[in-house]
């Protein structure tokens, strides 16, 4: 097993995973290094950074969707099913 590289991480006894940090034209090298540093910190705390990011995305989606009005939901339903 390898140690965390930029965008790569491995938890003990688990498969190595690659985690994208963003497109090169939208994320600077400095930002990517900072994100990789934060991921390494999470790994030291036995937290899987990929799972943490996925949970955050899901929570944000739930929060955003819970603020929709009935009219917005009906309009979205009509676009998908009609």
């Amino acid at each position: 097993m390898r140690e965390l590289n930029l965008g790569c991480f491995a938890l003990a006894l688990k498969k190595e995973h690659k985690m994208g940090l963003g497109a090169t034209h939208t994320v600077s090298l400095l930002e990517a290094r900072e994100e990789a540093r934060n991921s390494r910190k999470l790994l030291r705390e036995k937290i899987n950074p990929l799972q943490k990011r996925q949970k955050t995305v899901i929570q944000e989606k739930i929060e955003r969707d819970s603020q929709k009005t009935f009219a917005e939901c009906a309009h979205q339903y009509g676009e998908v099913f009609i």
Side-chain angles (χ1 to χ4, degrees):
M1 249 185 236
R2 297 177 4 197
E3 287 187 23
L4 177 67
N5 256 337
L6 181 66
C8 299
F9 61 91
L11 297 174
L13 304 175
K14 301 238 178 170
K15 182 179 175 183
E16 184 176 291
H17 296 275
K18 294 191 183 277
M19 183 171 92
L21 301 175
T24 56
H25 66 278
T26 59
V27 178
S28 71
L29 181 58
L30 181 64
E31 292 170 323
R33 286 180 175 164
E34 182 65 29
E35 187 67 30
R37 189 175 305 113
N38 291 337
S39 293
R40 286 191 294 271
K41 287 178 184 177
L42 289 171
L43 285 172
R44 282 195 301 269
E45 297 170 9
K46 305 288 188 217
I47 298 170
N48 183 326
L50 186 56
Q51 287 179 347
K52 183 174 191 241
R53 182 167 58 173
Q54 289 170 341
K55 286 180 184 177
T56 301
V57 168
I58 290 169
Q59 288 172 343
E60 288 172 355
K61 182 173 177 13
I62 289 170
E63 184 176 319
R64 185 178 60 247
D65 288 349
S66 68
Q67 295 174 359
K68 284 186 179 180
T69 65
F70 180 78
E72 291 171 329
C73 292
H75 179 71
Q76 185 178 2
Y77 178 85
E79 288 178 348
V80 174
F81 294 105
I82 297 177

